[in-house]
Amino acid sequence: MLLFTPGPTPVPEAVRLAMAEPTLHHRTPEFEAIFKEARESLIKLFGMDDAIMIAGSGTAAMEASIINLCKGKALTVNAGKFGERFGKIVKAHGKELVELKYEWNTPASVEDVLKALDEHSDIDTFAIQVCESAGGLRHPVEEIAAAIKAKNPNIMVIADGITAVAVEPIDVSNIDILITGSQKALMLPPGLAMLGLSFAAIERIGKGSGYYLNLASELAKQRKNTTAYTAATTLIIGLNKIFELIEKSGGMELLYRRTAVRSKALLAALQAIGLEIYPKAPAKAMATIIDPNAEDIRKLLKTKYSVNVAGGQDHLKGKIFRINNMGLIETNEMLWVVDSIESALADLGRRVYSGEATKIFSQTLREELA
Ligand SMILES: *Cc1c(COP(=O)(O)O)cnc(C)c1O
């Protein structure tokens, strides 16, 4: 079975093997050296002033950001499951919430954000997804963040980049916390949450809030290459291996380029066989198709072609399917995926199979990489 869900993504064999080594104790010079290497790679990946790793799924980093940065009132963007989650976290901690709601295919706009800030001058924190994975939607985060900082540099900007970090370069000039998680573009098992921090964020955090998710106590430890609580040693060993694999395959810049080109080819191939792209601004992390036969296609992909893609949630359940485009993906595997989708459409009597999807996919790759 080919795993093509936009998280979890398949873990490369070399990484699984690296993680199969006997357990290391986390309070040892050996592990501190491993931690230091991971920390330095992460700071470079985020392009930010500092970084923190937490044992927890991506949501732990979302919650840590809110409790440590938001002192009173937060503005969040809800254009899907993950944006909605920021709002729920804000409320769970008894903070005030202003939420901008959008249909799941519609990106947030600078105007709406500025208007909300005008109406609520006491907002101190803004939170948004770079890619809202519920609909594969790319928000114009960099543009929104720049407008917020131009208006009021004291407002902290949290960007959930769980399906954007290591997918595409992100301009972090106006971002205070950038979040990622292990099981998406970083191709690891779930369980490691990571945050990039600006100096302004570190200043705002001060002594920190919360206990397990107190970013001040974590940062103090992590700057000494250790952790406040038991580190996710196995995942951090895996993370170093991932960075090594990416380097061996040509480096992060090439990964970004390959991801962008493959995204373009994938969308072109799907459109060429009559499918409709759901988001108005598609993210590079995945392709999201809205289709009356979404569930039939997904079922055929799984049972007949051994391809596992994700469906939709809530009101989009049964209406969309999502194909992963994150990580080091073999071209032949993606060719099989687009071919299987065309075959499934033929099975459903929607078109006569002609190999159009693989043709357009390969053609676009060749043109782009020429
Ligand atoms: C996967 C994901 C998360 C985190 O989910 P966890 O299940 O807690 O790892 C958060 N935001 C986005 C955009 C995601 O895709």
Side-chain angles (χ1 to χ4, degrees):
M1 181 77 74
L2 285 182
L3 181 61
F4 263 84
T5 54
T9 56
V11 180
E13 187 181 22
V15 177
R16 296 197 307 268
L17 290 173
M19 294 189 304
E21 294 288 313
T23 302
L24 270 180
H25 194 282
H26 56 292
R27 309 284 181 208
T28 54
E30 291 91 326
F31 184 70
E32 281 170 21
I34 290 168
F35 190 90
K36 181 171 189 283
E37 185 187 330
R39 185 175 141 71
E40 284 168 0
S41 303
L42 265 186
I43 291 174
K44 196 166 150 224
L45 172 67
F46 284 125
M48 298 189 72
D49 299 316
D50 223 313
I52 292 178
M53 288 168 258
I54 296 172
S57 86
T59 306
M62 294 172 71
E63 183 158 4
S65 308
I66 295 289
I67 63 178
N68 285 274
L69 286 188
C70 179
K71 306 294 174 192
K73 193 185 250 187
L75 173 63
T76 65
V77 168
N78 173 357
K81 265 300 208 220
F82 297 103
E84 177 188 57
R85 187 170 299 177
F86 265 136
K88 287 184 174 173
I89 293 169
V90 169
K91 284 206 246 170
H93 289 280
K95 299 174 197 291
E96 280 185 80
L97 173 69
V98 180
E99 188 180 62
L100 288 174
K101 257 186 131 164
Y102 293 90
E103 188 36 62
W104 291 15
N105 63 349
T106 307
S109 79
V110 172
E111 297 69 41
D112 294 344
V113 170
L114 292 181
K115 188 162 160 273
L117 294 180
D118 277 335
E119 286 165 4
H120 305 268
S121 57
D122 52 344
I123 285 169
D124 61 34
T125 305
F126 172 74
I128 189 170
Q129 274 57 46
V130 181
C131 163
E132 170 53 80
S133 315
L137 173 71
R138 177 63 155 92
H139 285 299
V141 173
E142 294 91 337
E143 202 186 328
I144 293 173
I148 291 173
K149 293 290 183 182
K151 189 178 176 71
N152 180 356
N154 294 321
I155 297 173
M156 291 287 115
V157 174
I158 301 168
D160 167 2
I162 297 182
T163 46
V165 172
V167 171
E168 55 173 317
I170 300 164
D171 175 5
V172 293
S173 349
N174 297 294
I175 291 173
D176 295 295
I177 290 189
L178 179 61
I179 297 168
T180 197
S182 52
Q183 80 275 29
K184 309 279 170 84
L186 291 172
M187 300 171 277
L188 289 166
L192 189 66
M194 292 151 274
L195 305 95
L197 302 119
S198 71
F199 285 134
I202 294 167
E203 201 168 296
R204 175 70 61 90
I205 289 164
K207 290 189 166 67
S209 295
Y211 185 78
Y212 183 69
L213 297 177
N214 184 312
L215 293 180
S217 44
E218 266 311 328
L219 187 61
K221 290 285 186 182
Q222 298 199 11
R223 282 177 163 171
K224 294 181 199 147
N225 299 314
T226 185
T227 48
Y229 314 106
T230 306
T233 47
T234 309
L235 289 168
I236 294 168
I237 289 167
L239 181 62
N240 282 342
K241 197 72 190 175
I242 285 286
F243 282 121
E244 189 189 312
L245 277 191
I246 293 175
E247 216 39 61
K248 263 195 203 153
S249 75
M252 197 56 80
E253 291 307 314
L254 189 60
L255 172 66
Y256 290 149
R257 178 155 154 64
R258 285 193 179 132
T259 303
V261 167
R262 197 176 49 240
S263 161
K264 194 172 172 183
L266 176 60
L267 297 184
L270 297 171
Q271 283 173 306
I273 53 172
L275 292 172
E276 187 186 340
I277 309 297
Y278 174 66
K280 289 177 192 161
K284 293 187 174 65
M286 67 196 77
T288 305
I289 297 297
I290 184 155
D291 194 276
N293 292 122
E295 270 319 277
D296 306 319
I297 296 169
R298 212 158 76 85
K299 207 170 282 168
L300 277 165
L301 288 176
K302 205 165 186 174
T303 55
K304 196 166 171 192
Y305 303 100
S306 287
V307 176
N308 190 0
V309 301
Q313 294 162 294
D314 293 359
H315 67 291
L316 290 182
K317 200 172 163 61
K319 297 193 170 131
I320 61 166
F321 61 96
R322 295 171 296 150
I323 306 156
N324 176 52
N325 186 40
M326 293 177 279
L328 297 163
I329 296 176
E330 298 294 341
T331 303
N332 60 349
E333 290 192 355
M334 194 58 105
L335 273 168
W336 176 254
V337 172
V338 297
D339 191 63
S340 301
I341 294 170
E342 183 178 1
S343 303
L345 289 179
D347 294 337
L348 292 166
R350 293 259 302 261
R351 63 178 282 115
V352 176
Y353 176 84
S354 69
E356 183 71 4
T358 53
K359 184 182 125 191
I360 298 297
F361 184 85
S362 326
Q363 237 172 30
T364 313
L365 276 196
R366 274 196 300 272
E367 282 163 19
E368 290 289 324
L369 295 173

